[in-house]
Amino acid sequence: MSQEKLAKEIVELVGGEKNVVSLVHCATRLRFVLKDDAKADKAKLEKTEGIIAVKENGGQFQVVVGNKVPEVYNAIGQISNILDDSSEKEKSKKSAKGLGGIIDVISSIFAPLLGVMAGAGILKGLLLIASNVGWLETTETTYKILFAAADSLFYFLPLLLAVTTARKFQGNMFVAMTIAGALIYPSIVTLKAEGTPTDFFGIPVILMNYSSTVIPIILAVIVMSKLEKFFNKVLHESVKNFVTPLFLLVIMVPLTLLVFGPFGVYVGNAIASGLVAAFGFSPLLAGAVMGASWQLLVIFGIHWGLIPVFINNVAVYGRDGVKPAATASIFAQTGAAFGVMLKTKNKKLKTLAGSSTLTALFGITEPAIYGVTLPLKRPFIAGVIGGAVGGAIIGQAGTQAFASGAPGLLTLPIFYGPGGEGFPGLILGICVSFVVSAALTYIMGFKDPVEEEEQEKSTESIHPSVRTADSVDQEVLSPIEGTIVELSEVPDPAFSSGAMGKGIAIEPAVGRVVAPFDGTITVAFKKKHALAVVSDTGAEILVHVGVDTVKLDGQHFTSHIQEGDRVKAGDLLLEFDIAAIKAAGYHTVTPIIVTNSANYEEVVSLITGQVRVQEPLLTLYGGKGQEQE
């Protein structure tokens, strides 16, 4: 599928351009903020070719597309106005609260910088190696030119964060950059370096070194954006375009130097000191915890809260001892994907695992996690264990990071400091994490999809032995049009665990339920959200529209049946309003359960992907028959 076509599919399935408040991207994900998440068709997105996974974290609707994310992002910009900063979009009235809101802010601010940050980090690491082994002297002009290219991003980081923060909070990014520039302006830097007593109209100013800092400028721009909206509201149109920036500069630069700057630096230093103390208390235990948990934090989006800490540690101490242990987690999941590639007999999964392994080696683990290890469960657990072992080794070795960058093969140089201390421990740790995870994945095994395929292929040879003189088979036609969803993926344990019986689920495209065969209505729920029908041969089918929709008390449902009614295959039984149910906050994925599964030797699903009404959906083999009930 072309990037333009995929972009069109994504925009349509997230609810259309009008449903998008904002869009940024990181290394592998498109990060949408939507007005109404219920309008997005998550199930259909997950089935779309070119999409690895869909996640909802930190107030964001995240579409994982892998390494091609920049191309898809640009294609979305070409086919829509979503990326047009000048457009006056209606702002979402819904905002993430608490931790989710913090993660949303941090990810939106840092995600656009990750690519250039990784590139600069690699270059800085290579220069560290070159100077340590004597290939380049730090006094050489060649070194100084390359170091300027590597370090400028970090030195002027407040300027870049001013842009991304202003974009997140709809502030004037040029005013924000000017405020950031004042923090690192030469005369201000000189006052700090010389220790000159400084005041602002008699108020003492505690000068700090703001180069490479994170928190002060973010706080300043957030407040600036609020003030900007206030001034633009109260000032006349004829003057606000130049008077508002004037007021913002006069107020925000002194306020930042007096309040936000020192506060942000103190907070950043306190967090850094706390993490350093944790690794000082037990580097082996702290490393194991970080190595085991990093990819779990990534899944839930919580890792964004630690990225500013890593950057701040490098700015404050010139090094960071927390990130190296997280590197073990990266290589552990890589090893788990490699173990899947070695173990599986399914050609499609082997290809996916192989390509995901290669991508993960360079620090992009989302394809490996969402496409391979997490769906298979045991390999992901193996990766967590391997990450803990590798992280413990790295933590005990005292490995440090001397620049920022996403952990991976290309960024290993950022961990090579003066004398190479701790670097051998890093290499040992990531190798062990890879090998342990791969070995555990191979030994523990997993439910190989090839087993299911072979079982379906051999069904014809098995069924004749099942069909005794007393056995009865039953074909179940699809009662709904939509997209097939595995029962295990239904967000309700009563169905996903199989406790109610075997079956399948459908994400409906049309709000109609029809009879799956000739039979009798045995249950017509008063809340209208579900019904049960038994076939003339004794098959009992439960159709339950949505999850927890009983709480709607019959709203958005129209029933056309009563208990005891005789129905023919294809008769209309129930209608429901998909959009209204989603708007009320409920999933519409519909389990179709064979409630007397125990009466059958096999319940076989006949279709994947899209299904139409009255297409063959399930076949029940070896039933006891109604007369034997």
Side-chain angles (χ1 to χ4, degrees):
M1 182 184 294
S2 68
Q3 310 304 357
E4 183 176 342
K5 185 176 180 183
L6 179 57
K8 288 179 179 178
E9 290 273 354
I10 291 172
V11 171
E12 179 182 346
L13 293 175
V14 297
E17 182 178 341
K18 292 183 179 180
N19 194 40
V20 178
V21 176
S22 65
L23 170 63
V24 295
H25 75 84
C26 57
T28 59
R29 309 183 192 194
L30 295 166
R31 297 173 175 270
F32 289 92
V33 175
L34 303 179
K35 295 176 185 175
D36 184 358
D37 289 350
K39 291 182 179 179
D41 193 335
K42 183 178 179 182
K44 198 166 183 180
L45 273 167
E46 290 175 328
K47 299 293 183 181
T48 300
E49 179 186 350
I51 294 177
I52 297 169
V54 180
K55 302 294 174 183
E56 295 180 69
N57 288 325
Q60 295 182 337
F61 192 88
Q62 303 173 8
V63 181
V64 184
V65 296
N67 293 334
K68 61 189 175 186
V69 66
E71 290 82 3
V72 179
Y73 177 83
N74 290 334
I76 290 176
Q78 292 173 1
I79 66 167
S80 71
N81 295 317
I82 290 174
L83 306 185
D84 185 1
D85 286 333
S86 66
S87 62
E88 292 295 327
K89 297 187 184 114
E90 178 187 349
K91 304 307 175 188
S92 173
K93 295 180 180 180
K94 177 195 73 175
S95 59
K97 305 294 183 182
L99 180 61
I102 295 171
I103 292 170
D104 172 44
V105 169
I106 294 174
S107 63
S108 298
I109 291 172
F110 284 93
L113 303 178
L114 291 184
V116 65
M117 194 173 287
I122 293 169
L123 179 56
K124 200 170 187 180
L126 290 173
L127 288 172
L128 285 171
I129 294 176
S131 62
N132 287 332
V133 300
W135 295 340
L136 277 176
E137 294 295 332
T138 57
T139 55
E140 293 183 46
T141 55
T142 299
Y143 178 90
K144 290 183 177 181
I145 291 171
L146 291 175
F147 189 81
D151 194 54
S152 64
L153 178 144
F154 303 102
Y155 184 87
F156 295 106
L157 187 60
L159 286 166
L160 300 177
L161 293 177
V163 173
T164 55
T165 306
R167 182 171 181 174
K168 171 63 179 174
F169 289 91
Q170 293 85 45
N172 186 316
M173 64 179 66
F174 299 106
V175 175
M177 289 178 67
T178 304
I179 294 170
L183 299 181
I184 53 177
Y185 193 73
S187 62
I188 300 296
V189 173
T190 300
L191 288 174
K192 164 63 179 173
E194 295 176 350
T196 305
T198 306
D199 68 86
F200 182 73
F201 287 114
I203 304 173
V205 177
I206 303 174
L207 291 177
M208 299 283 182
N209 180 11
Y210 294 109
S211 173
S212 302
T213 56
V214 171
I215 299 177
I217 190 61
I218 292 176
L219 292 176
V221 175
I222 290 173
V223 174
M224 181 214 81
S225 67
K226 306 297 182 184
L227 282 176
E228 181 183 357
K229 291 178 177 63
F230 169 75
F231 286 130
N232 283 339
K233 185 178 180 180
V234 299
L235 292 174
H236 193 271
E237 280 190 15
S238 61
V239 298
K240 70 178 182 181
N241 286 341
F242 52 88
V243 174
T244 293
L246 169 66
F247 285 170
L248 292 178
L249 292 174
V250 170
I251 294 172
M252 290 308 307
V253 171
L255 191 61
T256 302
L257 290 172
L258 286 166
V259 181
F260 301 131
F263 174 79
V265 171
Y266 288 141
V267 169
N269 290 352
I271 295 172
S273 299
L275 286 171
V276 169
F279 273 79
F281 173 74
S282 177
L284 187 144
L285 178 60
V289 171
M290 179 60 70
S293 62
W294 180 252
Q295 289 301 323
L296 291 169
L297 299 180
V298 169
I299 289 173
F300 292 104
I302 302 174
H303 69 299
W304 285 105
L306 289 175
I307 288 176
V309 176
F310 297 160
I311 297 173
N312 190 75
N313 282 350
V314 174
V316 174
Y317 300 108
R319 61 182 62 194
D320 170 59
V322 183
K323 177 188 282 188
T327 308
S329 183
I330 302 290
F331 284 88
Q333 289 300 325
T334 307
F338 182 71
V340 171
M341 185 189 73
L342 295 178
K343 181 83 171 178
T344 184
K345 295 179 181 178
N346 183 293
K347 292 181 180 180
K348 184 177 180 181
L349 180 58
K350 187 179 288 290
T351 301
L352 176 61
S355 62
S356 298
T357 298
L358 183 62
T359 304
L361 282 172
F362 295 97
I364 308 300
T365 55
E366 276 91 342
I369 293 174
Y370 296 125
V372 181
T373 63
L374 194 58
L376 295 175
K377 297 181 178 66
R378 288 181 184 175
F380 184 80
I381 295 171
V384 170
I385 296 171
V389 176
I393 294 172
I394 293 171
Q396 189 62 37
T399 307
Q400 301 288 311
F402 297 89
S404 297
L409 278 182
L410 290 178
T411 54
L412 291 182
I414 71 175
F415 303 103
Y416 191 95
E421 182 182 352
F423 192 71
L426 174 80
I427 300 302
L428 177 61
I430 62 177
C431 289
V432 168
S433 64
F434 183 94
V435 172
V436 168
S437 299
L440 282 177
T441 296
Y442 198 90
I443 294 169
M444 292 166 58
F446 47 86
K447 189 176 181 181
D448 196 343
V450 74
E451 296 173 2
E452 298 175 4
E453 292 177 2
E454 290 177 349
Q455 184 178 22
E456 290 179 12
K457 290 178 182 178
S458 62
T459 295
E460 293 182 2
S461 62
I462 295 174
H463 293 156
S465 64
V466 173
R467 295 173 187 160
T468 64
D470 296 327
S471 70
V472 178
D473 300 338
Q474 174 69 59
E475 184 176 65
V476 180
L477 305 178
S478 179
I480 294 176
E481 179 178 336
T483 304
I484 296 293
V485 177
E486 290 296 325
L487 202 59
S488 59
E489 297 179 16
V490 174
D492 186 332
F495 297 113
S496 60
S497 65
M500 297 287 291
K502 298 178 181 179
I504 198 73
I506 297 176
E507 181 62 46
V510 179
R512 290 165 54 90
V513 178
V514 302
F517 40 54
D518 295 347
T520 304
I521 300 298
T522 54
V523 180
F525 287 84
K526 293 181 179 179
K527 307 289 187 181
K528 306 176 186 177
H529 66 294
L531 58 91
V533 55
V534 61
S535 74
D536 294 336
T537 62
E540 299 173 1
I541 298 294
L542 170 68
V543 180
H544 192 290
V545 179
V547 176
D548 290 333
T549 46
V550 64
K551 296 177 182 178
L552 289 171
D553 199 27
Q555 292 184 63
H556 316 310
F557 291 95
T558 302
S559 177
H560 297 283
I561 51 163
Q562 293 181 349
E563 291 181 6
D565 284 354
R566 283 284 303 165
V567 294
K568 293 286 187 181
D571 285 352
L572 179 61
L573 309 180
L574 178 68
E575 291 181 291
F576 55 96
D577 188 331
I578 297 174
I581 294 172
K582 287 184 175 181
Y586 295 90
H587 292 281
T588 55
V589 61
T590 300
I592 298 161
I593 307 296
V594 184
T595 53
N596 62 339
S597 300
N599 289 356
Y600 293 88
E601 296 288 342
E602 286 186 282
V603 176
V604 178
S605 176
L606 301 176
I607 192 169
T608 59
Q610 301 298 312
V611 62
R612 296 180 180 178
V613 169
Q614 294 291 280
E615 273 191 279
L617 182 68
L618 302 169
T619 298
L620 319 182
Y621 289 105
K624 297 178 181 179
Q626 195 171 34
E627 68 276 9
Q628 297 185 25
E629 296 290 315

